[in-house]
Amino acid sequence: MTTTATLRIPLPRAPGRPSPVRLLADPRTRGAAPDAGPWLIDEVGRASLRGRGGGGFPTHRKLEAVAAARGRTVVVANATEGEPVSLKDVTLLRHDPDLVIDGMLAAAAAVGAREAILVVSRGAGDAREAAERAVARRAGGTRRVRLSCAAAPERFVMGEESALVNWLNGGPARPTLTPPRPSERGVGGRPTLVQNAETLAHIALIARHGADWFREVGTDAEPGSMLVTVSGGVRAPGVHEVALGTPLADVVDLAGGPVAGVGGVLVGGYFGTWLAAPDPLALPLSAAGLRPAGGSVGAGTIVVLPADRCPLAETARVATYLAGETAGQCGPCVFGLRALAGAAHALAGGHDAAAALRDMRDLPDEIERRGACAHPDGAARLARSAIAAFPDEVERHLRGECSATDRRPLLPVPAAPTEWR
Protein backbone atom coordinates (compact mmCIF):
# COMPACT_ATOMS: atom_id res chain seq x y z
CA MET A 1 0.00 0.00 0.00
CA THR A 2 1.32 3.43 -0.93
CA THR A 3 0.18 6.43 1.06
CA THR A 4 1.28 10.01 1.43
CA ALA A 5 0.70 12.45 4.24
CA THR A 6 -1.48 15.44 3.65
CA LEU A 7 -0.75 18.70 5.42
CA ARG A 8 -3.82 20.63 4.38
CA ILE A 9 -6.57 21.48 6.84
CA PRO A 10 -8.82 18.44 6.66
CA LEU A 11 -12.31 19.89 6.98
CA PRO A 12 -14.01 23.21 6.19
CA ARG A 13 -14.22 25.24 9.38
CA ALA A 14 -16.49 28.00 10.52
CA PRO A 15 -14.66 31.32 10.99
CA GLY A 16 -12.69 31.25 14.21
CA ARG A 17 -13.11 27.53 14.78
CA PRO A 18 -9.80 25.83 15.70
CA SER A 19 -8.20 23.59 13.12
CA PRO A 20 -7.55 19.97 14.10
CA VAL A 21 -4.23 20.02 12.21
CA ARG A 22 -1.65 20.11 14.98
CA LEU A 23 0.73 17.18 14.63
CA LEU A 24 0.99 17.79 10.88
CA ALA A 25 1.29 21.55 11.15
CA ASP A 26 4.40 23.25 9.79
CA PRO A 27 7.25 22.37 12.21
CA ARG A 28 8.77 25.81 11.67
CA THR A 29 5.87 27.34 13.58
CA ARG A 30 6.37 25.36 16.78
CA GLY A 31 9.05 27.35 18.57
CA ALA A 32 11.32 26.04 21.29
CA ALA A 33 10.82 22.69 23.00
CA PRO A 34 8.52 22.99 26.02
CA ASP A 35 9.67 22.93 29.63
CA ALA A 36 8.03 20.21 31.67
CA GLY A 37 7.96 18.63 35.08
CA PRO A 38 5.71 16.57 37.34
CA TRP A 39 2.94 19.15 36.85
CA LEU A 40 2.51 17.84 33.31
CA ILE A 41 0.88 14.64 34.58
CA ASP A 42 -2.12 16.56 35.92
CA GLU A 43 -2.28 18.64 32.75
CA VAL A 44 -2.39 15.52 30.59
CA GLY A 45 -5.15 14.23 32.86
CA ARG A 46 -7.15 17.44 32.40
CA ALA A 47 -6.68 17.09 28.65
CA SER A 48 -8.18 13.55 28.80
CA LEU A 49 -5.57 12.33 26.33
CA ARG A 50 -5.82 8.62 25.58
CA GLY A 51 -3.13 6.51 23.96
CA ARG A 52 -3.11 6.61 20.17
CA GLY A 53 -1.42 3.23 19.74
CA GLY A 54 -4.59 1.16 19.70
CA GLY A 55 -5.48 0.44 23.32
CA GLY A 56 -6.84 3.89 24.14
CA PHE A 57 -5.66 3.77 27.77
CA PRO A 58 -5.75 7.09 29.71
CA THR A 59 -2.27 8.51 29.25
CA HIS A 60 -2.03 10.26 32.60
CA ARG A 61 -2.61 7.01 34.45
CA LYS A 62 0.46 5.44 32.84
CA LEU A 63 2.45 8.57 33.68
CA GLU A 64 1.26 8.39 37.29
CA ALA A 65 2.17 4.73 37.62
CA VAL A 66 5.73 5.23 36.40
CA ALA A 67 6.23 8.43 38.40
CA ALA A 68 5.14 6.64 41.58
CA ALA A 69 7.43 3.65 41.03
CA ARG A 70 10.72 3.30 42.86
CA GLY A 71 14.04 3.58 41.09
CA ARG A 72 15.29 5.39 37.99
CA THR A 73 12.71 5.36 35.25
CA VAL A 74 12.88 5.02 31.47
CA VAL A 75 10.71 6.42 28.65
CA VAL A 76 10.21 4.36 25.47
CA ALA A 77 8.55 5.75 22.35
CA ASN A 78 6.97 2.92 20.38
CA ALA A 79 7.02 3.79 16.68
CA THR A 80 7.37 0.22 15.42
CA GLU A 81 3.89 0.29 13.84
CA GLY A 82 3.47 -3.38 12.98
CA GLU A 83 -0.13 -2.83 11.85
CA PRO A 84 -0.02 -3.30 8.03
CA VAL A 85 -2.77 -0.75 7.30
CA SER A 86 -1.33 2.00 9.51
CA LEU A 87 1.26 4.54 8.41
CA LYS A 88 0.58 7.29 10.90
CA ASP A 89 3.75 6.94 12.97
CA VAL A 90 6.11 6.75 10.00
CA THR A 91 4.31 9.77 8.53
CA LEU A 92 4.80 11.70 11.77
CA LEU A 93 8.49 10.77 11.92
CA ARG A 94 9.02 11.86 8.32
CA HIS A 95 7.23 15.12 8.93
CA ASP A 96 8.41 16.15 12.41
CA PRO A 97 10.53 13.70 14.42
CA ASP A 98 11.47 16.51 16.79
CA LEU A 99 7.88 16.71 18.01
CA VAL A 100 8.05 13.07 19.10
CA ILE A 101 11.39 13.73 20.80
CA ASP A 102 9.91 16.78 22.53
CA GLY A 103 7.20 14.51 23.90
CA MET A 104 9.74 11.95 25.06
CA LEU A 105 11.72 14.59 26.93
CA ALA A 106 8.59 16.16 28.40
CA ALA A 107 7.38 12.75 29.60
CA ALA A 108 10.84 12.05 31.01
CA ALA A 109 10.70 15.29 33.00
CA ALA A 110 7.22 14.39 34.25
CA VAL A 111 8.16 10.92 35.55
CA GLY A 112 11.78 11.63 36.49
CA ALA A 113 13.37 9.50 33.78
CA ARG A 114 17.04 9.79 32.88
CA GLU A 115 16.84 7.69 29.71
CA ALA A 116 14.55 7.89 26.66
CA ILE A 117 14.57 5.46 23.71
CA LEU A 118 12.83 5.94 20.37
CA VAL A 119 12.13 2.53 18.79
CA VAL A 120 11.36 2.35 15.07
CA SER A 121 10.94 -0.57 12.68
CA ARG A 122 13.97 -1.71 10.70
CA GLY A 123 11.84 -1.52 7.58
CA ALA A 124 10.66 2.06 8.14
CA GLY A 125 13.04 3.42 5.48
CA ASP A 126 13.23 7.21 5.33
CA ALA A 127 11.15 7.54 8.51
CA ARG A 128 13.76 5.54 10.39
CA GLU A 129 16.52 7.68 8.90
CA ALA A 130 14.71 10.87 9.90
CA ALA A 131 14.27 9.57 13.44
CA GLU A 132 17.92 8.55 13.75
CA ARG A 133 19.16 11.91 12.45
CA ALA A 134 16.89 13.83 14.83
CA VAL A 135 17.94 11.75 17.83
CA ALA A 136 21.63 12.14 16.98
CA ARG A 137 21.18 15.89 16.64
CA ARG A 138 19.21 16.27 19.87
CA ALA A 139 21.18 13.81 22.02
CA GLY A 140 24.06 16.20 22.56
CA GLY A 141 21.77 19.01 23.70
CA THR A 142 20.04 17.20 26.55
CA ARG A 143 22.17 16.65 29.64
CA ARG A 144 19.53 15.32 31.98
CA VAL A 145 18.23 12.55 29.69
CA ARG A 146 20.22 10.00 27.71
CA LEU A 147 18.50 9.92 24.32
CA SER A 148 18.88 7.04 21.85
CA CYS A 149 17.21 5.36 18.87
CA ALA A 150 16.80 1.61 18.26
CA ALA A 151 15.63 -0.31 15.18
CA ALA A 152 13.40 -3.29 15.96
CA PRO A 153 12.33 -6.39 13.99
CA GLU A 154 9.20 -6.11 11.87
CA ARG A 155 6.65 -8.14 13.81
CA PHE A 156 2.94 -7.50 14.31
CA VAL A 157 3.16 -8.28 18.04
CA MET A 158 6.04 -5.83 18.49
CA GLY A 159 3.43 -3.17 19.20
CA GLU A 160 2.62 -4.92 22.48
CA GLU A 161 4.60 -3.10 25.16
CA SER A 162 5.93 -6.18 26.93
CA ALA A 163 7.28 -7.50 23.60
CA LEU A 164 9.04 -4.20 23.01
CA VAL A 165 10.56 -4.20 26.50
CA ASN A 166 11.60 -7.84 26.18
CA TRP A 167 13.43 -7.04 22.95
CA LEU A 168 15.14 -3.98 24.45
CA ASN A 169 16.34 -6.22 27.27
CA GLY A 170 18.04 -8.52 24.75
CA GLY A 171 15.29 -11.11 24.34
CA PRO A 172 13.06 -11.93 21.37
CA ALA A 173 10.34 -9.50 20.25
CA ARG A 174 7.65 -11.60 21.89
CA PRO A 175 5.12 -10.58 24.55
CA THR A 176 5.79 -11.72 28.10
CA LEU A 177 3.36 -12.58 30.84
CA THR A 178 2.32 -9.71 33.10
CA PRO A 179 2.52 -8.74 35.92
CA PRO A 180 4.95 -7.24 36.47
CA ARG A 181 4.00 -4.59 33.94
CA PRO A 182 6.67 -2.44 32.28
CA SER A 183 5.60 0.44 34.54
CA GLU A 184 6.78 -1.72 37.45
CA ARG A 185 9.78 -3.49 35.92
CA GLY A 186 10.70 -2.75 32.32
CA VAL A 187 13.92 -1.85 30.51
CA GLY A 188 16.86 -3.03 32.59
CA GLY A 189 14.43 -3.91 35.38
CA ARG A 190 13.55 -0.24 35.84
CA PRO A 191 10.04 1.29 35.81
CA THR A 192 9.35 2.10 32.16
CA LEU A 193 6.82 4.32 30.43
CA VAL A 194 5.97 2.86 27.00
CA GLN A 195 3.92 5.20 24.83
CA ASN A 196 3.04 5.30 21.16
CA ALA A 197 4.96 7.93 19.16
CA GLU A 198 1.80 9.89 18.32
CA THR A 199 0.75 9.93 21.97
CA LEU A 200 4.09 11.45 22.95
CA ALA A 201 3.74 14.09 20.22
CA HIS A 202 0.41 15.08 21.76
CA ILE A 203 2.09 15.27 25.17
CA ALA A 204 4.61 17.72 23.71
CA LEU A 205 1.77 19.92 22.43
CA ILE A 206 -0.06 19.79 25.77
CA ALA A 207 3.17 20.84 27.51
CA ARG A 208 3.38 23.79 25.09
CA HIS A 209 -0.22 24.91 24.95
CA GLY A 210 -2.08 23.34 27.88
CA ALA A 211 -5.08 21.10 28.37
CA ASP A 212 -7.71 23.71 27.49
CA TRP A 213 -6.11 24.25 24.07
CA PHE A 214 -5.96 20.51 23.47
CA ARG A 215 -9.68 20.20 24.24
CA GLU A 216 -10.69 22.88 21.73
CA VAL A 217 -11.22 20.17 19.08
CA GLY A 218 -12.82 16.74 19.33
CA THR A 219 -15.72 15.88 21.61
CA ASP A 220 -16.17 16.62 25.30
CA ALA A 221 -15.65 12.97 26.20
CA GLU A 222 -12.92 12.35 23.61
CA PRO A 223 -11.06 15.58 22.95
CA GLY A 224 -8.18 16.26 20.60
CA SER A 225 -7.12 15.20 17.14
CA MET A 226 -5.61 11.99 15.84
CA LEU A 227 -3.77 10.73 12.79
CA VAL A 228 -5.84 8.44 10.58
CA THR A 229 -4.63 6.20 7.75
CA VAL A 230 -7.27 5.91 5.03
CA SER A 231 -6.77 3.21 2.38
CA GLY A 232 -8.51 0.58 0.29
CA GLY A 233 -11.13 1.67 -2.24
CA VAL A 234 -10.42 5.40 -2.09
CA ARG A 235 -9.02 7.70 -4.75
CA ALA A 236 -6.07 9.07 -2.76
CA PRO A 237 -4.96 6.85 0.15
CA GLY A 238 -3.08 8.79 2.79
CA VAL A 239 -2.60 9.88 6.37
CA HIS A 240 -4.75 12.71 7.67
CA GLU A 241 -5.21 14.51 10.96
CA VAL A 242 -8.81 14.91 12.08
CA ALA A 243 -10.73 15.82 15.20
CA LEU A 244 -12.19 12.91 17.15
CA GLY A 245 -15.90 12.71 16.46
CA THR A 246 -15.52 13.49 12.74
CA PRO A 247 -17.92 11.35 10.64
CA LEU A 248 -16.17 8.56 8.79
CA ALA A 249 -17.64 9.91 5.54
CA ASP A 250 -15.78 13.20 6.04
CA VAL A 251 -12.55 11.38 6.82
CA VAL A 252 -12.90 9.26 3.67
CA ASP A 253 -13.58 12.42 1.65
CA LEU A 254 -10.10 13.62 2.64
CA ALA A 255 -8.78 10.62 0.72
CA GLY A 256 -10.70 11.64 -2.39
CA GLY A 257 -13.81 9.65 -1.52
CA PRO A 258 -14.68 6.07 -2.51
CA VAL A 259 -13.69 4.91 -5.98
CA ALA A 260 -16.94 2.94 -6.29
CA GLY A 261 -19.77 1.64 -4.12
CA VAL A 262 -18.87 0.93 -0.51
CA GLY A 263 -19.38 -2.68 0.54
CA GLY A 264 -18.04 -2.21 4.04
CA VAL A 265 -15.40 -0.50 6.16
CA LEU A 266 -12.68 -2.02 8.32
CA VAL A 267 -11.93 0.21 11.31
CA GLY A 268 -9.20 -0.35 13.87
CA GLY A 269 -6.82 -2.39 11.72
CA TYR A 270 -6.34 -6.15 11.69
CA PHE A 271 -7.46 -6.35 15.32
CA GLY A 272 -10.46 -4.23 14.37
CA THR A 273 -13.99 -4.65 13.17
CA TRP A 274 -15.84 -4.82 9.87
CA LEU A 275 -18.75 -2.39 9.60
CA ALA A 276 -21.37 -2.69 6.88
CA ALA A 277 -25.09 -1.93 6.40
CA PRO A 278 -26.90 0.32 6.59
CA ASP A 279 -24.31 3.12 6.30
CA PRO A 280 -20.95 2.59 8.02
CA LEU A 281 -19.60 5.94 6.83
CA ALA A 282 -22.29 7.78 8.81
CA LEU A 283 -20.65 6.76 12.10
CA PRO A 284 -18.35 9.19 13.93
CA LEU A 285 -14.68 8.41 14.49
CA SER A 286 -14.78 8.03 18.25
CA ALA A 287 -14.99 5.24 20.78
CA ALA A 288 -18.52 6.28 21.77
CA GLY A 289 -19.63 6.63 18.15
CA LEU A 290 -18.28 3.26 16.98
CA ARG A 291 -19.14 1.22 20.07
CA PRO A 292 -22.85 0.65 19.24
CA ALA A 293 -21.75 -0.92 15.92
CA GLY A 294 -19.14 -3.06 17.66
CA GLY A 295 -16.22 -0.98 16.39
CA SER A 296 -13.34 0.87 18.00
CA VAL A 297 -10.93 3.59 16.95
CA GLY A 298 -7.83 1.46 17.53
CA ALA A 299 -4.71 2.98 15.99
CA GLY A 300 -6.77 5.14 13.64
CA THR A 301 -7.13 3.12 10.43
CA ILE A 302 -10.00 3.12 7.95
CA VAL A 303 -10.03 0.68 5.03
CA VAL A 304 -12.87 1.10 2.54
CA LEU A 305 -14.00 -2.18 0.97
CA PRO A 306 -15.41 -1.68 -2.55
CA ALA A 307 -18.76 -3.34 -3.17
CA ASP A 308 -17.21 -5.58 -5.84
CA ARG A 309 -14.76 -7.27 -3.43
CA CYS A 310 -15.41 -10.25 -1.15
CA PRO A 311 -15.14 -9.40 2.56
CA LEU A 312 -14.86 -13.09 3.49
CA ALA A 313 -11.89 -13.61 1.19
CA GLU A 314 -10.18 -10.53 2.62
CA THR A 315 -10.84 -11.74 6.15
CA ALA A 316 -9.37 -15.15 5.32
CA ARG A 317 -6.17 -13.57 4.00
CA VAL A 318 -5.75 -11.46 7.13
CA ALA A 319 -6.57 -14.41 9.42
CA THR A 320 -3.77 -16.40 7.77
CA TYR A 321 -1.36 -13.51 8.26
CA LEU A 322 -2.29 -13.17 11.95
CA ALA A 323 -1.90 -16.92 12.47
CA GLY A 324 1.61 -16.64 11.03
CA GLU A 325 2.41 -13.76 13.39
CA THR A 326 1.82 -15.79 16.55
CA ALA A 327 4.65 -15.66 19.04
CA GLY A 328 4.24 -19.41 19.50
CA GLN A 329 3.87 -19.22 23.26
CA CYS A 330 0.38 -20.59 23.91
CA GLY A 331 -2.10 -23.07 22.46
CA PRO A 332 -5.01 -20.68 21.81
CA CYS A 333 -2.74 -18.63 19.57
CA VAL A 334 -0.72 -21.37 17.87
CA PHE A 335 -3.51 -23.85 17.24
CA GLY A 336 -6.59 -21.66 17.60
CA LEU A 337 -5.55 -19.05 15.05
CA ARG A 338 -4.43 -21.71 12.59
CA ALA A 339 -7.85 -23.39 12.85
CA LEU A 340 -9.62 -20.04 12.56
CA ALA A 341 -7.68 -19.17 9.41
CA GLY A 342 -8.52 -22.56 7.93
CA ALA A 343 -12.21 -22.07 8.63
CA ALA A 344 -12.13 -18.57 7.12
CA HIS A 345 -10.54 -19.89 3.92
CA ALA A 346 -13.00 -22.77 3.70
CA LEU A 347 -15.97 -20.42 4.04
CA ALA A 348 -14.53 -17.94 1.55
CA GLY A 349 -13.88 -20.74 -0.95
CA GLY A 350 -17.18 -22.52 -0.42
CA HIS A 351 -15.49 -25.74 0.77
CA ASP A 352 -17.72 -27.47 3.33
CA ALA A 353 -18.98 -23.98 4.05
CA ALA A 354 -21.59 -24.96 6.65
CA ALA A 355 -18.96 -26.62 8.88
CA ALA A 356 -16.57 -23.72 8.29
CA LEU A 357 -19.24 -21.25 9.38
CA ARG A 358 -19.82 -23.20 12.60
CA ASP A 359 -16.08 -23.04 13.30
CA MET A 360 -15.98 -19.33 12.52
CA ARG A 361 -18.71 -18.80 15.11
CA ASP A 362 -17.39 -21.17 17.77
CA LEU A 363 -13.61 -20.75 17.64
CA PRO A 364 -13.52 -17.09 18.75
CA ASP A 365 -15.21 -18.07 22.03
CA GLU A 366 -12.57 -20.74 22.59
CA ILE A 367 -9.69 -18.39 21.78
CA GLU A 368 -10.54 -15.08 23.42
CA ARG A 369 -9.03 -14.22 26.82
CA ARG A 370 -7.09 -17.49 26.93
CA GLY A 371 -3.84 -16.43 25.31
CA ALA A 372 -0.62 -15.17 26.84
CA CYS A 373 -1.29 -11.78 25.18
CA ALA A 374 -4.07 -10.04 23.25
CA HIS A 375 -3.02 -11.38 19.83
CA PRO A 376 -5.61 -14.19 19.65
CA ASP A 377 -8.30 -11.83 20.98
CA GLY A 378 -7.76 -9.40 18.12
CA ALA A 379 -7.86 -12.11 15.47
CA ALA A 380 -11.05 -13.54 16.97
CA ARG A 381 -12.65 -10.10 16.97
CA LEU A 382 -11.96 -9.60 13.28
CA ALA A 383 -13.37 -13.02 12.32
CA ARG A 384 -16.49 -12.60 14.41
CA SER A 385 -17.17 -9.17 12.95
CA ALA A 386 -16.97 -10.48 9.37
CA ILE A 387 -19.75 -12.98 10.07
CA ALA A 388 -21.89 -10.35 11.78
CA ALA A 389 -21.35 -7.56 9.25
CA PHE A 390 -21.92 -9.54 6.04
CA PRO A 391 -24.76 -12.04 6.64
CA ASP A 392 -25.97 -11.87 3.02
CA GLU A 393 -22.50 -12.70 1.73
CA VAL A 394 -22.25 -15.57 4.18
CA GLU A 395 -25.51 -16.98 2.83
CA ARG A 396 -24.20 -16.76 -0.74
CA HIS A 397 -21.07 -18.68 0.21
CA LEU A 398 -23.15 -21.36 1.88
CA ARG A 399 -24.77 -21.84 -1.54
CA GLY A 400 -21.37 -21.94 -3.23
CA GLU A 401 -21.73 -18.41 -4.64
CA CYS A 402 -19.92 -15.11 -4.19
CA SER A 403 -20.98 -11.57 -5.09
CA ALA A 404 -17.45 -10.35 -5.82
CA THR A 405 -16.57 -9.47 -9.40
CA ASP A 406 -13.04 -8.29 -8.59
CA ARG A 407 -10.88 -11.05 -7.11
CA ARG A 408 -7.71 -9.00 -6.63
CA PRO A 409 -6.45 -8.82 -3.02
CA LEU A 410 -7.15 -5.51 -1.33
CA LEU A 411 -5.73 -5.62 2.19
CA PRO A 412 -1.92 -5.67 2.38
CA VAL A 413 -0.41 -8.84 3.86
CA PRO A 414 3.33 -8.58 4.57
CA ALA A 415 5.69 -11.41 3.72
CA ALA A 416 6.31 -13.90 6.50
CA PRO A 417 8.96 -12.46 8.87
CA THR A 418 12.13 -14.36 9.63
CA GLU A 419 13.46 -12.80 12.83
CA TRP A 420 12.42 -12.08 16.40
CA ARG A 421 15.54 -10.22 17.54
Side-chain angles (χ1 to χ4, degrees):
M1 178 181 66
T2 301
T3 67
T4 56
T6 178
L7 303 186
R8 68 179 185 276
I9 295 175
L11 298 173
R13 297 282 153 186
R17 186 174 180 184
S19 166
V21 176
R22 296 163 165 193
L23 303 174
L24 296 182
D26 188 338
R28 295 171 297 182
T29 67
R30 297 206 192 281
D35 292 326
W39 59 267
L40 181 59
I41 299 177
D42 288 337
E43 197 69 6
V44 171
R46 286 204 315 115
S48 298
L49 171 65
R50 288 181 174 269
R52 300 297 197 247
F57 192 77
T59 302
H60 74 282
R61 288 173 57 185
K62 293 184 76 170
L63 290 166
E64 287 173 344
V66 175
R70 296 182 178 179
R72 290 191 174 185
T73 57
V74 181
V75 170
V76 175
N78 187 354
T80 57
E81 200 161 34
E83 170 60 64
V85 290
S86 178
L87 288 173
K88 69 183 185 67
D89 291 336
V90 295
T91 296
L92 181 58
L93 290 175
R94 289 187 191 114
H95 174 65
D96 193 359
D98 284 288
L99 186 62
V100 177
I101 295 172
D102 287 349
M104 295 167 64
L105 296 177
V111 302
R114 300 297 299 273
E115 181 177 5
I117 309 167
L118 173 56
V119 185
V120 297
S121 169
R122 290 172 187 163
D126 56 352
R128 171 185 168 183
E129 295 170 3
E132 290 172 342
R133 286 195 301 269
V135 166
R137 174 168 41 81
R138 298 284 295 274
T142 171
R143 299 177 181 177
R144 291 180 294 180
V145 180
R146 183 161 64 91
L147 191 63
S148 62
C149 188
E154 295 181 75
R155 305 294 312 209
F156 187 87
V157 295
M158 191 67 179
E160 208 280 333
E161 64 177 17
S162 71
L164 184 58
V165 167
N166 196 42
W167 178 77
L168 287 170
N169 282 336
R174 293 185 173 98
T176 57
L177 292 174
T178 56
R181 300 186 182 280
S183 59
E184 301 166 313
R185 188 164 71 241
V187 176
R190 294 168 290 170
T192 301
L193 175 74
V194 181
Q195 288 284 14
N196 170 257
E198 181 189 342
T199 309
L200 288 161
H202 282 295
I203 288 176
L205 293 178
I206 292 170
R208 272 189 175 90
H209 305 294
D212 292 338
W213 169 88
F214 180 82
R215 299 182 65 91
E216 286 177 357
V217 301
T219 70
D220 288 341
E222 300 174 58
S225 65
M226 74 177 303
L227 298 179
V228 182
T229 309
V230 188
S231 63
V234 294
R235 291 183 173 84
V239 176
H240 304 263
E241 185 172 4
V242 301
L244 281 161
T246 301
L248 295 184
D250 290 345
V251 181
V252 171
D253 282 345
L254 298 178
V259 295
V262 177
V265 177
L266 178 63
V267 295
Y270 289 178
F271 275 4
T273 307
W274 284 109
L275 306 176
D279 183 7
L281 294 182
L283 297 171
L285 182 68
S286 67
L290 294 173
R291 191 178 299 118
S296 63
V297 174
T301 63
I302 300 172
V303 184
V304 176
L305 179 78
D308 60 0
R309 303 292 182 98
C310 178
L312 301 182
E314 292 296 330
T315 301
R317 293 177 58 249
V318 173
T320 300
Y321 164 71
L322 294 176
E325 278 292 297
T326 173
Q329 299 181 133
C330 63
C333 200
V334 175
F335 303 110
L337 294 195
R338 187 183 306 161
L340 187 61
H345 273 285
L347 180 59
H351 307 302
D352 198 6
L357 178 59
R358 287 194 297 270
D359 288 343
M360 286 278 285
R361 287 174 171 160
D362 294 343
L363 283 169
D365 291 336
E366 299 176 12
I367 292 171
E368 281 185 317
R369 296 181 296 278
R370 297 185 181 184
C373 70
H375 188 70
D377 296 3
R381 184 182 308 116
L382 179 71
R384 183 183 286 119
S385 75
I387 299 302
F390 305 106
D392 293 343
E393 193 62 34
V394 170
E395 287 299 321
R396 291 188 185 94
H397 282 250
L398 289 174
R399 299 193 301 266
E401 303 169 0
C402 180
S403 64
T405 57
D406 189 339
R407 307 289 179 175
R408 292 175 298 169
L410 179 75
L411 297 174
V413 175
T418 59
E419 58 184 351
W420 287 97
R421 294 184 183 273

